[in-house]
Coordinates of all heavy atoms in Angstrom, one line a residue:
G28 N 7.4 8.0 9.6 CA 7.0 7.7 8.2 C 7.6 6.3 7.7 O 8.7 6.0 8.2
L29 N 7.1 5.8 6.7 CA 7.7 4.5 6.2 C 8.8 4.9 5.2 O 8.7 6.0 4.7 CB 6.6 3.8 5.4 CG 5.5 3.0 6.2 CD1 4.5 2.5 5.2 CD2 6.1 1.8 6.8
T30 N 9.7 4.1 5.2 CA 10.8 4.4 4.3 C 10.8 3.3 3.2 O 11.2 2.1 3.3 CB 12.2 4.2 5.0 OG1 12.3 5.2 6.0 CG2 13.4 4.5 3.9
L31 N 10.3 3.7 2.0 CA 10.2 2.8 0.9 C 11.2 3.0 -0.2 O 11.5 4.1 -0.4 CB 8.7 3.0 0.3 CG 7.5 2.6 1.1 CD1 6.3 2.9 0.3 CD2 7.5 1.3 1.7
A32 N 11.8 1.9 -0.8 CA 12.7 2.2 -1.8 C 11.8 1.9 -3.1 O 10.8 2.5 -3.2 CB 13.7 1.0 -1.6
Q33 N 12.2 1.0 -4.0 CA 11.5 0.8 -5.2 C 10.8 -0.5 -5.2 O 10.7 -1.2 -6.2 CB 12.4 1.0 -6.4 CG 12.9 2.4 -6.5 CD 11.8 3.4 -6.8 OE1 10.9 3.2 -7.5 NE2 12.0 4.5 -6.1
Q34 N 10.4 -1.0 -4.1 CA 9.8 -2.4 -3.9 C 8.6 -2.5 -4.9 O 7.7 -1.7 -4.7 CB 9.4 -2.8 -2.5 CG 10.6 -3.0 -1.7 CD 11.0 -1.7 -0.9 OE1 10.5 -0.7 -1.2 NE2 11.8 -1.8 0.2
E35 N 8.5 -3.5 -5.7 CA 7.4 -3.6 -6.6 C 6.1 -4.1 -6.0 O 5.0 -3.9 -6.5 CB 7.7 -4.5 -7.8 CG 9.0 -4.1 -8.5 CD 9.7 -5.1 -9.4 OE1 9.0 -5.9 -9.9 OE2 10.9 -5.2 -9.2
V36 N 6.4 -5.0 -4.9 CA 5.2 -5.7 -4.3 C 5.2 -5.4 -2.8 O 6.3 -5.5 -2.1 CB 5.3 -7.1 -4.4 CG1 4.1 -7.9 -3.8 CG2 5.3 -7.4 -6.0
L37 N 4.2 -4.9 -2.2 CA 4.0 -4.6 -0.8 C 2.8 -5.3 -0.3 O 1.8 -5.4 -0.8 CB 3.8 -3.1 -0.6 CG 4.9 -2.1 -1.1 CD1 4.4 -0.7 -0.9 CD2 6.2 -2.4 -0.4
F38 N 3.0 -6.0 0.9 CA 2.0 -6.8 1.6 C 1.9 -6.0 3.0 O 2.7 -5.5 3.6 CB 2.5 -8.2 2.1 CG 2.7 -9.1 0.9 CD1 3.7 -9.3 0.2 CD2 1.4 -9.9 0.5 CE1 3.8 -10.2 -0.8 CE2 1.6 -10.7 -0.5 CZ 2.7 -10.9 -1.2
V39 N 0.5 -5.7 3.2 CA 0.0 -5.0 4.4 C -0.9 -6.0 5.0 O -1.9 -6.4 4.6 CB -0.7 -3.7 4.1 CG1 -1.2 -3.1 5.4 CG2 0.0 -2.7 3.2
G40 N -0.4 -6.5 6.3 CA -1.0 -7.6 7.0 C -1.1 -7.3 8.6 O -0.6 -6.3 9.0
G41 N -1.9 -8.2 9.2 CA -1.9 -8.0 10.7 C -3.2 -8.7 11.2 O -3.9 -9.3 10.4
K42 N -3.5 -8.6 12.4 CA -4.7 -9.2 12.9 C -5.9 -8.7 12.4 O -5.9 -7.4 12.1 CB -4.6 -9.1 14.5 CG -5.7 -9.9 15.2 CD -5.6 -9.7 16.7 CE -6.8 -10.2 17.5 NZ -7.0 -11.7 17.2
G43 N -7.0 -9.5 12.3 CA -8.2 -8.8 11.8 C -8.7 -7.8 12.5 O -8.6 -7.7 13.8
G44 N -9.2 -6.6 11.9 CA -9.8 -5.5 12.7 C -8.8 -4.4 13.0 O -9.2 -3.5 13.7
V45 N -7.6 -4.5 12.7 CA -6.7 -3.4 13.2 C -6.5 -2.3 12.2 O -5.8 -1.3 12.5 CB -5.3 -4.1 13.5 CG1 -5.4 -5.1 14.7 CG2 -4.7 -4.7 12.2
G46 N -7.1 -2.4 11.0 CA -7.0 -1.2 10.0 C -6.1 -1.6 8.9 O -5.5 -0.6 8.3
K47 N -6.0 -2.9 8.5 CA -5.1 -3.2 7.4 C -5.7 -2.6 6.0 O -4.8 -2.0 5.3 CB -5.1 -4.7 7.2 CG -4.4 -5.5 8.3 CD -4.3 -6.9 8.0 CE -5.7 -7.6 7.5 NZ -6.6 -7.5 8.7
T48 N -6.9 -2.7 5.8 CA -7.4 -2.1 4.5 C -7.3 -0.6 4.5 O -6.9 -0.1 3.4 CB -8.9 -2.5 4.4 OG1 -9.1 -3.9 4.4 CG2 -9.5 -2.0 3.1
T49 N -7.5 0.0 5.6 CA -7.4 1.5 5.6 C -5.9 1.8 5.4 O -5.6 2.8 4.6 CB -7.8 2.1 7.0 OG1 -9.1 1.7 7.2 CG2 -7.5 3.5 7.1
T50 N -4.9 1.1 5.9 CA -3.5 1.4 5.8 C -3.1 1.2 4.4 O -2.4 2.0 3.7 CB -2.6 0.6 6.7 OG1 -3.0 0.8 8.1 CG2 -1.2 0.8 6.5
A51 N -3.4 0.1 3.9 CA -3.1 -0.4 2.4 C -3.7 0.7 1.4 O -3.1 1.1 0.5 CB -3.7 -1.7 2.2
S52 N -4.9 1.2 1.6 CA -5.6 2.0 0.7 C -5.0 3.4 0.8 O -4.8 4.0 -0.3 CB -7.1 2.1 1.0 OG -7.8 0.8 1.0
A53 N -4.7 4.0 2.0 CA -4.2 5.2 2.2 C -2.7 5.2 1.6 O -2.3 6.2 1.0 CB -4.0 5.5 3.7
L54 N -1.9 4.1 1.7 CA -0.5 4.1 1.1 C -0.7 4.0 -0.4 O 0.0 4.7 -1.0 CB 0.1 2.8 1.7 CG 1.5 2.5 1.2 CD1 2.4 3.6 1.5 CD2 2.0 1.1 1.8
A55 N -1.6 3.3 -1.0 CA -1.8 3.1 -2.4 C -2.2 4.5 -3.0 O -1.6 4.8 -4.0 CB -2.8 2.1 -2.8
L56 N -3.1 5.2 -2.4 CA -3.5 6.4 -2.9 C -2.4 7.5 -2.8 O -2.3 8.3 -3.7 CB -4.8 7.0 -2.0 CG -5.5 8.3 -2.5 CD1 -5.9 8.1 -3.9 CD2 -6.5 8.6 -1.6
R57 N -1.7 7.5 -1.7 CA -0.5 8.4 -1.5 C 0.5 8.1 -2.6 O 0.9 9.1 -3.3 CB 0.2 8.2 -0.2 CG 1.3 9.1 0.1 CD 0.9 10.5 0.3 NE 1.9 11.3 0.9 CZ 1.8 12.6 1.2 NH1 0.7 13.3 0.8 NH2 2.8 13.2 1.8
L58 N 0.8 6.9 -2.9 CA 1.8 6.6 -4.0 C 1.3 7.0 -5.3 O 2.0 7.5 -6.2 CB 2.1 5.2 -3.9 CG 3.1 4.7 -2.7 CD1 3.0 3.1 -2.7 CD2 4.4 5.3 -2.8
A59 N 0.0 6.7 -5.5 CA -0.7 7.0 -6.9 C -0.6 8.6 -7.1 O -0.3 9.0 -8.2 CB -2.0 6.5 -6.9
E60 N -0.9 9.4 -6.1 CA -0.9 10.9 -6.3 C 0.6 11.3 -6.3 O 0.7 12.5 -6.7 CB -1.6 11.4 -5.1 CG -3.2 11.1 -5.1 CD -4.1 11.8 -4.1 OE1 -3.4 12.2 -3.0 OE2 -5.2 11.9 -4.2
R61 N 1.4 10.6 -6.1 CA 2.8 11.0 -6.3 C 3.4 10.6 -7.7 O 4.4 10.7 -8.1 CB 3.9 10.3 -5.4 CG 3.7 10.9 -3.9 CD 4.8 10.3 -3.0 NE 4.9 10.9 -1.7 CZ 5.8 10.7 -0.7 NH1 6.7 9.6 -1.0 NH2 5.8 11.3 0.4
G62 N 2.4 10.0 -8.5 CA 2.7 9.6 -9.8 C 3.1 8.2 -10.1 O 3.4 7.8 -11.2
E63 N 2.9 7.2 -9.2 CA 3.2 5.9 -9.4 C 1.9 5.2 -9.8 O 0.8 5.3 -9.1 CB 3.9 5.3 -8.2 CG 5.2 5.9 -7.8 CD 5.9 5.0 -6.7 OE1 5.5 3.8 -6.7 OE2 6.6 5.6 -5.9
R64 N 2.0 4.2 -10.7 CA 0.9 3.4 -11.1 C 0.7 2.3 -10.1 O 1.8 1.5 -10.0 CB 1.0 2.9 -12.5 CG 0.8 3.8 -13.7 CD 1.2 3.2 -15.0 NE 0.4 1.9 -15.2 CZ -0.8 1.9 -15.7 NH1 -1.4 2.9 -16.2 NH2 -1.4 0.8 -16.0
C65 N -0.4 2.1 -9.4 CA -0.6 1.2 -8.4 C -1.8 0.3 -8.5 O -2.9 0.8 -9.0 CB -0.7 2.0 -7.0 SG 0.7 3.0 -6.5
L66 N -1.6 -0.9 -8.2 CA -2.7 -1.9 -8.1 C -2.9 -2.3 -6.7 O -2.0 -2.8 -6.0 CB -2.3 -3.1 -9.0 CG -3.5 -4.3 -8.9 CD1 -4.8 -3.7 -9.4 CD2 -3.0 -5.4 -9.8
L67 N -4.0 -2.0 -6.1 CA -4.4 -2.3 -4.8 C -5.3 -3.5 -4.8 O -6.3 -3.6 -5.4 CB -5.3 -1.1 -4.1 CG -5.7 -1.3 -2.7 CD1 -4.5 -1.6 -1.7 CD2 -6.3 -0.1 -2.3
V68 N -4.8 -4.7 -4.2 CA -5.3 -6.0 -4.2 C -5.8 -6.4 -2.9 O -5.0 -6.5 -1.9 CB -4.4 -7.0 -4.8 CG1 -5.3 -8.4 -4.9 CG2 -3.9 -6.6 -6.2
S69 N -7.2 -6.8 -2.8 CA -7.6 -7.3 -1.4 C -7.8 -8.8 -1.5 O -8.4 -9.4 -2.5 CB -9.0 -6.7 -1.1 OG -9.5 -7.4 0.0
T70 N -7.0 -9.6 -0.6 CA -7.2 -11.0 -0.5 C -8.0 -11.5 0.6 O -8.3 -12.7 0.8 CB -5.9 -11.6 -0.5 OG1 -5.2 -11.3 0.7 CG2 -5.0 -11.3 -1.6
D71 N -8.5 -10.6 1.4 CA -9.3 -10.9 2.6 C -10.7 -11.3 2.2 O -11.3 -10.4 1.5 CB -9.3 -9.7 3.6 CG -9.9 -10.0 4.9 OD1 -10.7 -11.0 5.1 OD2 -9.5 -9.5 5.9

């Protein structure tokens, strides 16, 4: 599992088609359901 501190900004990146959007979305939803206010931004 990832070890996150209190980083305010997270970048999820990689080669096209490897599942960046899925990873970013799953991480954002997980954090949101833990009670953190999250903004998920797509720049692709």
Side-chain angles (χ1 to χ4, degrees):
L29 288 168
T30 301
L31 299 182
Q33 297 301 314
Q34 293 92 349
E35 304 155 47
V36 179
L37 301 173
F38 288 88
V39 180
K42 184 175 173 61
V45 297
K47 298 184 303 297
T48 300
T49 298
T50 301
S52 299
L54 179 61
L56 184 60
R57 181 71 166 173
L58 289 168
E60 292 184 342
R61 287 185 171 185
E63 298 189 30
R64 285 173 56 86
C65 297
L66 175 63
L67 177 59
V68 183
S69 173
T70 67
D71 194 329

